[in-house]
Amino acid sequence: EMQLVESGGDLVQPGRSLRLSCTASGFKFGDYAMSWVRQAPGKGLEWVGFIKSKPYGGTTEYAASVKGRFTISRDDSRSIAYLQMNSLKAEDTAVYYCSRDIIEAKATSMVYRYYYYMDVWGNGTTVTVSS
Amino acid sequence: DIQLTQSPSTLSASVGDRVTITCRASQSVSSWLAWYQQKPGTAPKLLIYKASNLQSGVPSRFSGSGSGTEFTLTISSLQPDDFATYYCQQYSSYSSRTFGQGTKVEIK
């Protein structure tokens, strides 16, 4: 059974740092891109960012709201994705979900374009930023 | 960023009703749109990908349609397990994916 388990959520003061982990099982982790999505209390879903699989470069992309403060990394040998959060703000308070990305490729002109959607989700971990 | 607007924000319906939720994009996303269901305190669940493709294991009463800037999620006969919040999400740009604000389906 495919499973994602997030951990590391905590109560932290504004300006501090926190690292979340997402441990995968039941599928070949290294073959997939991984995303992080958050949900503030009583609010909708916000995509935070993702990391491609190493065969596709292993690069990262981030939402504007977290770019420069958050960093996503991965350890394929341990099937873990990380979300390093620095300079935390009150508005970062949320449940943080990790998810597995499915890639679709479409040939256009001379190149392929890639599209990613999220199919398997973890149960989330709660981050509260407050003094 | 591409903005997604869902309507209605809240929908009251009865078991057995046909329910339709609309998602409009601020610019074309072609067919790169997914639908998720979320129940309180749980993670989102993928229902539909690429606008109209049913995710494995999802009941056939769920269907999606549309392309470009207008999309719909239809539940053909609402079941008790379907009362939840539904989100559309575009993935036309992998570097900037966005969700709609959500549609809560309530018991009438």
Side-chain angles (χ1 to χ4, degrees):
Chain A
E1 179 193 2
M2 295 176 291
Q3 193 173 13
L4 297 171
V5 178
E6 302 91 340
S7 60
D10 205 349
L11 169 63
V12 295
Q13 294 179 329
R16 303 299 290 264
S17 298
L18 194 64
R19 188 178 80 162
L20 306 183
S21 299
C22 169
T23 303
S25 59
F27 63 95
K28 193 174 178 184
F29 180 79
D31 286 351
Y32 293 88
M34 298 296 294
S35 278
W36 288 91
V37 175
R38 68 183 179 183
Q39 187 168 35
K43 302 296 185 183
L45 301 168
E46 180 187 16
W47 178 77
V48 171
F50 89 122
I51 184 166
K52 296 179 185 178
S53 63
K54 287 196 168 56
Y56 287 85
T59 54
T60 53
E61 299 284 348
Y62 301 95
S65 58
V66 305
K67 199 168 188 177
R69 299 188 300 123
F70 289 12
T71 302
I72 298 172
S73 60
R74 61 189 302 152
D75 182 343
D76 290 349
S77 68
R78 301 176 65 196
S79 298
I80 300 176
Y82 299 101
L83 178 64
Q84 176 68 43
M85 304 184 293
N86 299 331
S87 303
L88 283 161
K89 307 175 183 180
E91 51 264 41
D92 296 319
T93 294
V95 175
Y96 284 75
Y97 298 98
C98 68
S99 60
R100 185 180 79 165
D101 280 338
I102 297 297
I103 186 171
E104 296 190 82
K106 181 177 179 181
T108 59
S109 302
M110 303 281 284
V111 299
Y112 277 96
R113 283 200 65 188
Y114 298 100
Y115 301 87
Y116 295 83
Y117 65 92
M118 299 163 282
D119 71 334
V120 179
W121 295 62
N123 287 328
T125 188
T126 300
V127 173
T128 303
V129 184
S130 174
S131 54
Chain B
D1 285 3
I2 298 172
Q3 308 300 318
L4 298 179
T5 303
Q6 291 181 229
S7 60
S9 295
T10 305
L11 187 159
S12 296
S14 302
V15 173
D17 284 353
R18 181 181 181 88
V19 166
T20 299
I21 299 169
T22 298
C23 177
R24 290 188 172 86
S26 59
Q27 64 189 74
S28 176
V29 299
S30 185
S31 294
W32 307 114
L33 188 110
W35 289 95
Y36 297 89
Q37 176 194 64
Q38 187 180 34
K39 297 179 182 178
T42 70
K45 173 188 174 183
L46 175 66
L47 300 175
I48 302 285
Y49 64 95
K50 206 174 178 183
S52 61
N53 292 270
L54 193 68
Q55 173 69 355
S56 176
V58 174
S60 59
R61 62 181 179 273
F62 291 93
S63 64
S65 64
S67 66
T69 61
E70 187 149 341
F71 302 84
T72 58
L73 173 71
T74 300
I75 309 172
S76 60
S77 177
L78 196 66
Q79 298 303 300
D81 191 48
D82 302 338
F83 291 97
T85 299
Y86 294 84
Y87 294 92
C88 58
Q89 183 244 327
Q90 66 82 19
Y91 54 103
S92 171
S93 168
Y94 67 70
S95 62
S96 179
R97 305 184 220 177
T98 48
F99 290 88
Q101 83 277 16
T103 295
K104 185 176 182 180
V105 177
E106 297 181 327
I107 300 172
K108 191 171 185 179

